[in-house]
Amino acid sequence: MGSIRLILAISVVLAHSGAIFGLSFVGGQIAVQSFYIISGFYMSLILNEKYINENNSYKLFISNRFLRLYPIYWAVLLLTILLSIAASIASGGHSLGKAQAYLTYYDQLSIGSFLFLILTNIGLFLQDTVLFLGLDQITGNLFFTENFRLCKPVVSNFLLVPQAWTIGIELTFYLIAPFIVRRRLSSILLWIVASLSFRIILYYRGLDFDPWTYRFFPTELLFFLLGNVSYRIYCEIKNQDINPVIGRTLLSVLLLFTFSYSKIETSFTIYIYYLLFFISLPFIFKVTKNWKKDAAIGELSFPIYISHLLILSVIQRLNFPAFGSMGLTLTVVTILFSILLNEFIAKRIEKIRQNRVRVNPN
């Protein structure tokens, strides 16, 4: 599924920079929610097939998840801070780059608000909740708001790696996944119905806009659990003699659909895409799970996702010439940068993670 993950990551890049040859793929929201389905699938897979018997340790599972995410995130966060410092030096202290909100509103933040924002930037947890907060400029305290974009300042501007809010949601799912994904299918289906019902209730109560449409964990849980059901379908077919042409065909159709999504204009396109994604996943995984090159491509998806806004800010600050379009330029440069992150950080951390499972299961 590596190629699918890569294209979804590029979809987010294009959502923040512009189309490539008129194509913007599935856009940011669908890409993020599709990643949630994949995450639900993979977490169900490893918790049921890897973290079992002597490896059945909640601490081991959680710490290995952290090792997969935090090193690359912290590298991008550190580079973002360094770039902000460079911007401050270059502007004589008048600009602070991605940290500009802190320079502008530092005297309006209470100690508690300041510490919360700093800690969530460092620790990732609760970054998604920032999208539901406003800042009272008189008291300096944070408060709940239905629409963060109507508040001044927009509190999400205090996030130095703003797209990392999705990782906050991922981490929340990781914390509860060991207690959910092994339950009976009837329980999973009940949770799916509950999450979907909650989404519908919010929609008809007027909360049919961002951040409620894809940043609210209780309603996003639906997608993680669809991944769990997709894994259960895989369990039913993995030992069956199914023609691999089926998996390859579904992969090709899903990739084509993802590429051309922005050119398909129907009110039901999004639902057709999710349905195809959900149904295809078990068959695609069955046929691609031993494709090493496909897996290697997929490993670039997280570095691409978490670093592309940093690269965009560098390109804009240096007036880097765009070749073709900004979307194409940012995609190419981000992929190259992500290869470096993968080689020098992710692969080394991955060796540590795998050794911990084999050598220190408890």
Side-chain angles (χ1 to χ4, degrees):
M1 294 192 292
S3 56
I4 294 292
R5 291 161 58 201
L6 177 67
I7 299 304
L8 291 176
I10 293 175
S11 294
V12 178
V13 175
L14 300 186
H16 292 141
S17 60
I20 297 178
F21 306 123
L23 299 175
S24 53
F25 304 167
V26 295
Q29 176 174 338
I30 295 175
V32 166
Q33 291 174 330
S34 298
F35 268 123
Y36 291 160
I37 297 175
I38 292 175
S39 181
F41 183 98
Y42 273 124
M43 292 309 102
S44 301
L45 175 75
I46 64 174
L47 281 167
N48 283 283
E49 300 183 16
K50 182 177 180 180
Y51 291 94
I52 56 177
N53 301 325
E54 68 273 11
N55 288 327
N56 186 18
S57 165
Y58 181 80
K59 179 181 178 181
L60 179 62
F61 168 74
I62 294 298
S63 59
N64 270 355
R65 290 300 95 202
F66 288 3
L67 280 173
R68 189 170 182 84
L69 297 175
Y70 278 97
I72 286 181
Y73 170 74
W74 280 335
V76 172
L77 178 64
L78 177 60
L79 289 173
T80 301
I81 293 171
L82 292 176
L83 183 62
S84 298
I85 293 173
S88 177
I89 294 173
S91 65
H94 297 293
S95 174
L96 202 54
K98 286 287 186 181
Q100 182 63 35
Y102 289 93
L103 178 63
T104 304
Y105 298 103
Y106 75 93
D107 58 343
Q108 298 176 27
L109 288 167
S110 67
I111 295 297
S113 298
F114 178 78
L115 288 176
F116 171 79
L117 292 168
I118 292 298
L119 290 175
T120 195
N121 269 289
I122 296 173
L124 279 171
F125 279 102
L126 300 180
Q127 285 205 19
D128 50 309
T129 66
V130 172
L131 282 302
F132 296 87
L133 299 175
L135 175 65
D136 187 324
Q137 296 185 56
I138 297 177
T139 65
N141 295 325
L142 299 170
F143 62 89
F144 169 77
T145 177
E146 289 185 350
N147 192 338
F148 69 95
R149 287 191 173 88
L150 298 181
C151 298
K152 184 178 180 182
V154 176
V155 178
S156 61
N157 289 337
F158 289 93
L159 297 177
L160 300 183
V161 187
Q163 71 276 28
W165 65 266
T166 64
I167 311 304
I169 288 182
E170 285 273 354
L171 289 171
T172 302
F173 175 67
Y174 292 164
L175 290 178
I176 65 174
F179 308 106
I180 294 180
V181 301
R182 293 165 175 159
R183 290 183 176 272
R184 293 181 300 177
L185 177 60
S186 58
S187 297
I188 299 299
L189 294 177
L190 183 61
W191 279 101
I192 288 176
V193 170
S195 181
L196 179 59
S197 299
F198 195 16
R199 177 180 292 270
I200 294 172
I201 290 170
L202 292 177
Y203 181 88
Y204 281 102
R205 288 179 64 88
L207 300 177
D208 56 349
F209 53 86
D210 184 20
W212 299 95
T213 50
Y214 80 117
R215 307 185 200 240
F216 188 48
F217 178 76
T219 54
E220 295 309 294
L221 181 60
L222 160 72
F223 295 97
F224 292 102
L225 297 181
L226 284 176
N228 176 262
V229 176
S230 189
Y231 164 73
R232 292 167 190 260
I233 296 173
Y234 164 72
C235 290
E236 294 297 319
I237 69 169
K238 66 179 179 180
N239 294 321
Q240 294 183 20
D241 186 19
I242 296 177
N243 193 327
V245 172
I246 295 175
R248 295 192 185 103
T249 301
L250 286 171
L251 174 60
S252 299
V253 171
L254 187 57
L255 285 172
L256 180 62
F257 198 175
T258 304
F259 279 121
S260 60
Y261 184 92
S262 59
K263 297 297 183 181
I264 304 173
E265 298 181 2
T266 75
S267 57
F268 298 103
T269 304
I270 185 171
Y271 304 109
I272 296 172
Y273 184 84
Y274 285 138
L275 180 61
L276 177 64
F277 200 96
F278 166 74
I279 293 174
S280 300
L281 215 55
F283 298 93
I284 292 174
F285 182 75
K286 178 177 172 64
V287 77
T288 64
K289 62 181 180 180
N290 295 319
W291 293 4
K292 293 184 178 180
K293 290 184 179 179
D294 185 70
I297 290 173
E299 291 304 311
L300 294 176
S301 60
F302 178 62
I304 288 172
Y305 176 80
I306 209 66
S307 70
H308 74 277
L309 289 183
L310 168 65
I311 301 301
L312 178 60
S313 64
V314 172
I315 289 175
Q316 292 173 334
R317 185 165 294 276
L318 297 179
N319 292 317
F320 192 84
F323 39 92
S325 66
M326 177 55 74
L328 179 59
T329 302
L330 180 59
T331 298
V332 171
V333 177
T334 303
I335 288 174
L336 293 175
F337 181 69
S338 297
I339 291 173
L340 295 177
L341 287 176
N342 199 45
E343 287 294 325
F344 292 102
I345 299 178
K347 286 187 176 180
R348 299 183 182 188
I349 296 298
E350 184 62 20
K351 291 180 180 178
I352 296 174
R353 292 177 63 249
Q354 296 303 325
N355 287 336
R356 291 178 77 239
V357 173
R358 292 194 300 264
V359 178
N360 186 27
N362 297 315

